[in-house]
């Protein structure tokens, strides 16, 4: 099966909501359960300037999404993009995350002039950690009690990738 990566469009809001509503997406991102359709519709229609959203499609179905967010609120951090992504639970371990991450790194480093990409990942998200390390991200520190999940606080790693010189 071929994975197609493309820019997300506002009308993709229902499919992206489905991806972000999956149990693993809920567990490993900062999304809350029961996301409303209206919230995702507004989010996709009002993407902040400097943010880029990609989706992965297989057989015409959106199976993952990727966000690359500008850190340019400070002129001294214009070289940094912040990464967020999720893959539909039914499509894990099929190359979707790899394809999204490759496309996002290419966009950030080769088109947006980012020399540093940052992300946070929960310490128990072993699949994501392996994927990020495969693509050159390194753990820079541990954010203790980073997020609240399933009734308790969970740590996260701060990771970054520096564009090779």
């Amino acid at each position: 099966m071929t994975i197609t990566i493309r820019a997300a469009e506002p009308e993709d809001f229902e499919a992206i909501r489905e991806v972000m509503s999956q149990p693993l997406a809920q567990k490993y991102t900062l999304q809350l359960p029961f996301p409303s359709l209206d919230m995702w519709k507004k989010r996709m229609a009002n993407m902040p300037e400097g943010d880029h959203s990609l989706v992965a499609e297989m057989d015409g179905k959106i199976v993952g999404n990727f966000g690359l967010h500008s850190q340019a609120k400070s002129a001294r951090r214009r070289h940094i993009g912040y990464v967020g992504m999720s893959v539909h639970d039914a499509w894990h371990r099929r190359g979707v995350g790899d394809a999204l991450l490759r496309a996002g790194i290419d966009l950030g480093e080769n088109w947006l002039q980012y020399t540093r990409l940052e992300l946070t990942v929960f310490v128990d998200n072993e699949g994501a950690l392996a994927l990020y390390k495969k693509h050159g991200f390194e753990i820079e520190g541990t954010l203790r009690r980073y997020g609240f999940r399933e009734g308790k606080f969970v740590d996260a790693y701060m990771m970054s990738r520096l564009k090779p010189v």
Side-chain angles (χ1 to χ4, degrees):
M1 291 188 160
T2 302
I3 301 168
T4 302
I5 306 297
R6 64 168 176 81
E9 299 293 342
E11 57 268 17
D12 294 329
F13 71 94
E14 288 183 76
I16 292 172
R17 175 186 172 238
E18 181 182 341
V19 170
M20 299 306 289
S21 297
Q22 297 300 302
L24 291 176
Q26 300 276 306
K27 180 176 182 174
Y28 291 126
T29 70
L30 295 175
Q31 300 298 311
L32 292 173
F34 315 112
S36 78
L37 203 52
D38 190 53
M39 184 274 295
W40 276 104
K41 185 175 185 178
K42 287 177 183 171
R43 182 179 284 185
M44 294 307 299
N46 300 303
M47 190 75 65
E49 188 173 335
D51 282 6
H52 300 270
S53 183
L54 305 175
V55 293
E57 287 184 331
M58 292 184 80
D59 293 333
K61 177 180 172 58
I62 292 176
V63 296
N65 63 295
F66 179 96
L68 185 57
H69 310 283
S70 170
Q71 296 298 296
K73 293 167 190 75
S74 168
R76 294 168 56 181
R77 289 184 49 87
R78 286 191 186 134
H79 64 292
I80 299 170
Y82 187 83
V83 171
M85 64 184 284
S86 189
V87 174
H88 192 289
D89 286 10
W91 295 91
H92 278 227
R93 308 248 188 261
R94 296 189 191 190
V96 175
D98 188 70
L100 279 167
L101 193 53
R102 271 188 285 112
I105 290 169
D106 178 64
L107 175 64
E109 292 181 353
N110 297 318
W111 296 96
L112 299 174
Q113 300 182 49
Y114 292 151
T115 60
R116 176 182 170 90
L117 298 176
E118 297 177 343
L119 60 85
T120 54
V121 57
F122 284 115
V123 298
D124 59 349
N125 191 345
E126 294 174 9
L129 281 165
L131 177 66
Y132 297 141
K133 288 178 181 178
K134 173 184 171 184
H135 287 275
F137 285 83
E138 296 179 7
I139 295 172
E140 293 189 329
T142 303
L143 304 168
R144 298 180 323 166
R145 294 185 186 174
Y146 175 77
F148 193 73
R149 176 182 77 199
E150 299 170 333
K152 61 184 176 193
F153 289 101
V154 183
D155 295 348
Y157 292 127
M158 176 68 199
M159 298 184 79
S160 75
R161 170 195 159 94
L162 300 179
K163 181 179 180 181
V165 182

